[in-house]
Amino acid sequence: MNTLPVRHYDRVTLRPLNELASLHEFDITIQVVPGYEADADSGRISEDAPLGRAVLRRSAGEKINLQVHDRKLAMLILAVEKPTDSTG
């Protein structure tokens, strides 16, 4: 398990821990990107979005809590996949 903190362009797999877990029986994978590259339909979440802010600089195994509108959400960071760097 990768314990390095989440940075831009990492693929982060999350598991909902509260009411979302009963609605969705699957984990979600996102990629945190700068706002101008965000595309929620393809899982590219802005660093300025609540979920993006919540996962940046966190590590696999950590629980995150966030407030979205009037709901409190809890998620577990299952895995952080670092992008491969072809330049080095």
Side-chain angles (χ1 to χ4, degrees):
M1 180 185 302
N2 192 334
T3 58
L4 294 173
V6 174
R7 300 212 186 280
H8 288 95
Y9 303 105
D10 292 349
R11 291 178 51 83
V12 182
T13 303
L14 301 158
R15 176 165 293 157
L17 297 176
N18 51 9
E19 74 273 358
L20 280 180
S22 63
L23 297 174
H24 305 286
E25 294 182 11
F26 51 86
D27 300 330
I28 359 176
T29 300
I30 64 165
Q31 187 177 37
V32 181
V33 297
Y36 63 90
E37 293 183 25
D39 178 10
D41 290 337
S42 62
R44 296 169 62 87
I45 305 299
S46 170
E47 64 191 340
D48 298 318
L51 183 56
R53 284 194 310 267
V55 299
L56 276 177
R57 294 175 293 284
R58 299 313 256 321
S59 300
E62 287 190 61
K63 179 180 168 185
I64 60 168
N65 295 293
L66 58 147
Q67 181 83 27
V68 179
H69 301 291
D70 61 342
R71 303 178 98 178
K72 291 183 181 181
L73 306 176
M75 301 181 126
L76 176 66
I77 300 175
L78 293 179
V80 178
E81 181 184 336
K82 300 293 183 178
T84 55
D85 183 8
S86 60
T87 61

